[in-house]
Amino acid sequence: MYGLFRTARRLREIGLIGIGERNANYVLRYNQRKFYPRVDDKLITKQLAIQAGLPVPELYAVVRAEHEIARLHETLAAREQFVVKPAHGSGGDGILVISGRRGDKYRRSNGQLMTREEFNHHLSNGLSGLFSLGGQPDHLLVEYCVQFDPIFDQVSFRGVPDVRIIVFMGYPVMAMIRLPTRMSDGKANLHQGAIGVGIDIPTGITRRGVWGTEIVREHPDTEHSIVGLRIPHWDALLEMASRCHELSGLGYIGVDFVLDRNLGPMILELNARPGLAIQIANGNGLGHRLAKVEALIESGRLSKDPGERVEFARQNFPTLG
Ligand SMILES: Nc1ncnc2c1ncn2[C@@H]1O[C@H](COP(=O)(O)OP(=O)(O)O)[C@@H](O)[C@H]1O
Ligand SMILES: [Mg+2]
């Protein structure tokens, strides 16, 4: 614990920002409320991404009412694998990653079998808003289950890693990859037990990682090193992340990607209040990087061109230390 405080003190010196600062200086200042629905509803995000020509996992079905659940089993009859998620969910809550079937049961990515009744019950809970922001009734998306890139075979436990990039006024400022563990049940959310691993922006190469409060260099389930991985399609990821600024209308966002072994990078979701553990995963604070972009705002030099913004990020945001 003492070591962690020491790390926290060092990170403050190198620009660690806290939740209050994030909210007051970035989320409230740069994110207009009227654009929140674009990112808070995953169905709207998906539609906007498609309109902008950005790749997303294929939508198989939307469930809006209780009586549609029974029909879903037929709609999905030809699909071995799929993912169900609440449109207004967050932190991985309520997401079912179905990785196969056995008879008329569904197999979850943690290996457990789910009966149709259990499946229906889960979806019914989802519709009632049990897993959603604010607890309001919600709708559910059923989509293509991403087949992760083989580069992650040794560092992912039964789930799909995702790449999170923080984008400020269109500039990618910090990135990490989140690796599912035995604990995280097929999901890459840190609060579910996934590991966050910092990525150096100029090179797309992973550095050390954080698992809960622990700094890690190996995956806890596979013992494989998580340091030094070169993230595939890194250029495309940075450029797509940058374009999400225009797509969302928001100044401060977290963009989540997945890398499919056949289809390449795809946008999973956008977040208007991205978490701060990315700083621990990188051993670098966000403060100084955000200040560099704010200096561009003040001097009227913000770029409208995603390519230019990515170039600026590559020049200015290496992972230090
Ligand atoms: N289509 C998918 N295929 C495979 N895994 C997925 C898919 N969608 C989500 N996941 C897993 O669940 C995690 C959370 O999904 P996400 O859409 O970001 O929702 P949340 O808002 O709850 O974070 C992802 O990081 C990924 O590990
Ligand atoms: Mg997410």
Side-chain angles (χ1 to χ4, degrees), residues 162 164 178 189 256 269:
D162 71 9
R164 155 72 56 94
R178 297 180 295 189
N189 301 84
D256 290 356
E269 64 152 346

Side-chain angles (χ1 to χ4, degrees), residues 178-200:
R178 297 180 295 189
L179 304 169
T181 62
R182 185 187 295 273
M183 220 169 129
S184 73
D185 182 25
K187 289 164 281 195
N189 301 84
L190 300 186
H191 287 109
Q192 306 271 348
I195 315 173
V197 188
I199 304 174
D200 178 51

Side-chain angles (χ1 to χ4, degrees), residues 42 85 89-92 95 162 164 178 188-189 256 268-271:
K42 291 183 170 66
K85 64 174 81 170
S90 69
I95 298 186
D162 71 9
R164 155 72 56 94
R178 297 180 295 189
N189 301 84
D256 290 356
L268 253 200
E269 64 152 346
L270 308 184
N271 212 299

Side-chain angles (χ1 to χ4, degrees), residues 4-316:
L4 198 71
F5 283 130
R6 256 207 334 243
T7 312
R9 178 159 4 105
R10 196 177 68 82
L11 283 174
R12 214 166 12 249
E13 281 159 20
I14 60 173
L16 180 80
I17 68 166
I19 222 88
E21 203 178 344
R22 180 202 69 182
N23 291 343
N25 297 345
Y26 301 101
V27 175
L28 288 171
R29 191 169 298 166
Y30 294 101
N31 289 348
Q32 290 183 56
R33 285 215 77 81
K34 65 173 179 189
F35 293 132
Y36 274 41
R38 294 187 181 183
V39 301
D40 285 345
D41 183 328
K42 291 183 170 66
L43 188 56
I44 298 181
T45 311
K46 204 187 268 294
Q47 287 158 349
L48 287 171
I50 292 169
Q51 279 166 26
L54 296 171
V56 291
E58 183 189 345
L59 184 67
Y60 292 158
V62 179
V63 182
R64 296 183 185 278
E66 198 74 33
H67 70 266
E68 295 170 357
I69 297 176
R71 220 177 15 193
L72 192 64
H73 298 281
E74 292 150 45
T75 313
L76 295 172
R79 312 273 186 196
E80 265 301 297
Q81 303 190 338
F82 55 88
V83 171
V84 185
K85 64 174 81 170
H88 292 82
S90 69
D93 284 346
I95 298 186
L96 279 182
V97 181
I98 300 296
S99 60
R101 295 162 179 276
R102 187 184 169 88
D104 58 3
K105 295 196 174 102
Y106 295 107
R107 191 176 293 283
R108 297 178 61 160
S109 64
N110 64 7
Q112 271 174 18
L113 285 173
M114 216 179 184
T115 64
R116 285 194 174 206
E117 290 66 41
E118 286 163 343
F119 181 86
N120 294 353
H121 185 68
H122 182 97
L123 269 65
S124 166
N125 280 338
L127 284 176
S128 75
L130 187 68
F131 311 117
S132 306
L133 294 167
Q136 302 296 320
D138 204 356
H139 44 281
L140 312 173
L141 282 69
V142 186
E143 66 182 24
Y144 168 73
C145 182
V146 174
Q147 309 295 305
F148 64 74
D149 192 286
I151 186 180
F152 304 123
D153 279 344
Q154 305 298 327
V155 291
S156 186
F157 190 85
R158 290 189 182 154
V160 178
D162 71 9
V163 174
R164 155 72 56 94
I165 303 181
I166 304 282
V167 179
F168 181 40
M169 301 308 284
Y171 293 80
V173 288
M174 195 171 275
M176 70 174 162
I177 182 153
R178 297 180 295 189
L179 304 169
T181 62
R182 185 187 295 273
M183 220 169 129
S184 73
D185 182 25
K187 289 164 281 195
N189 301 84
L190 300 186
H191 287 109
Q192 306 271 348
I195 315 173
V197 188
I199 304 174
D200 178 51
I201 295 255
T203 60
I205 294 176
T206 59
R207 308 290 290 254
R208 54 94 177 265
V210 64
W211 187 41
T213 56
E214 197 184 327
I215 303 296
V216 290
R217 301 180 70 83
E218 285 94 29
H219 192 287
D221 303 314
T222 69
E223 299 285 347
H224 237 266
S225 173
I226 55 176
V227 179
L229 298 172
R230 185 179 287 276
I231 305 297
H233 308 287
W234 187 237
D235 288 331
L237 289 171
L238 289 174
E239 169 118 12
M240 282 162 56
S242 175
R243 287 171 63 191
C244 286
H245 172 53
E246 280 79 14
L247 181 154
S248 64
L250 297 170
Y252 188 79
I253 47 174
V255 184
D256 290 356
F257 295 96
V258 282
L259 294 167
D260 187 271
R261 61 178 65 202
N262 303 310
L263 304 172
M266 295 191 275
I267 294 180
L268 253 200
E269 64 152 346
L270 308 184
N271 212 299
R273 312 160 199 82
L276 295 165
I278 191 168
Q279 302 176 107
I280 314 288
N282 274 274
N284 279 230
L286 278 161
H288 303 320
R289 300 189 186 189
L290 297 172
K292 280 198 180 164
V293 177
E294 285 191 303
L296 293 179
I297 302 178
E298 275 146 32
S299 58
R301 286 184 295 130
L302 271 187
S303 172
K304 289 193 161 56
D305 175 54
E308 267 177 37
R309 297 191 299 233
V310 167
E311 192 43 42
F312 181 89
R314 282 186 183 279
Q315 299 294 330
N316 287 279

